């Protein structure tokens, strides 16, 4: 039971998984808060440049991009919520990414995450 988890920077986070295109498009939209120690992992079929935006997102987030080896390639830290609809800016990754982890804003800095940091998956998360 319980939510799947990931580990990054020596800490575990309970995560929801966004696997289908619909789940990935919705992400953390329309949420008023994200519990401490929680996040969302986006799983993509291909390792490629990813770009996220904060349309309809109400909470500031750290958006962490990981490659197929689950190493941190890029981070958009303290990304602000956006209420501009389709005029919201996007935040592209600096390199090809296959996995994206969204955490509450400030977590990456608190954990001291650097490029190359490893994302570990708990059981039940399919990493092919």
């Amino acid at each position: 039971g319980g939510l799947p988890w990931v580990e990054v920077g020596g800490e575990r986070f309970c995560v929801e998984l966004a696997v289908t295109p619909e789940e990935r498009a919705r992400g953390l939209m329309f949420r008023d808060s994200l519990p401490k120690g929680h996040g969302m992992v986006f799983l993509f079929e291909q390792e490629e440049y990813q770009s996220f935006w904060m349309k309809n997102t109400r909470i500031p987030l750290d958006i962490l991009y990981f490659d197929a080896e689950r190493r941190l390639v890029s981070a958009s830290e303290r990304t602000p919520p956006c209420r501009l609809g389709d005029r919201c800016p996007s935040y592209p990754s600096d390199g090809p990414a296959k996995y994206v982890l969204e955490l509450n804003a400030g977590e990456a800095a608190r954990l001291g995450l650097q490029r190359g940091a490893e994302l570990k998956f708990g059981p039940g998360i399919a990493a092919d």
Side-chain angles (χ1 to χ4, degrees):
L3 285 171
W5 55 266
V6 299
E7 190 176 294
V8 67
E11 277 192 31
R12 278 191 186 184
F13 292 89
C14 294
V15 291
E16 296 172 57
L17 302 180
V19 181
T20 67
E22 295 76 20
E23 289 168 341
R24 293 193 302 240
R26 174 170 284 266
L28 290 169
M29 283 181 180
F30 307 113
R31 309 265 186 112
D32 291 317
S33 65
L34 181 62
K36 185 173 163 53
H38 283 244
M40 180 173 276
V41 170
F42 296 76
L43 306 170
F44 292 91
E45 287 89 24
Q46 305 291 329
E47 181 185 56
E48 56 195 353
Y49 284 85
Q50 306 292 349
S51 187
F52 276 54
W53 64 348
M54 299 287 283
K55 179 181 172 183
N56 297 324
T57 306
R58 298 173 180 164
I59 41 182
L61 296 171
D62 285 351
I63 305 173
L64 308 174
Y65 298 93
F66 295 85
D67 65 15
E69 307 293 306
R70 284 179 271 153
R71 298 282 177 186
L72 184 64
V73 292
S74 182
S76 174
E77 295 188 37
R78 296 188 169 92
T79 316
C82 182
R83 294 181 176 81
L84 299 175
D86 289 344
R87 289 182 296 132
C88 289
S90 61
Y91 299 90
S93 58
D94 292 341
K98 189 168 186 208
Y99 307 105
V100 177
L101 173 62
E102 290 185 343
L103 299 174
N104 279 308
E107 290 289 314
R110 184 178 66 80
L111 294 169
L113 297 184
Q114 302 290 329
R115 184 182 284 262
E118 185 183 1
L119 178 66
K120 296 183 177 145
F121 288 163
I125 302 180
D128 43 34

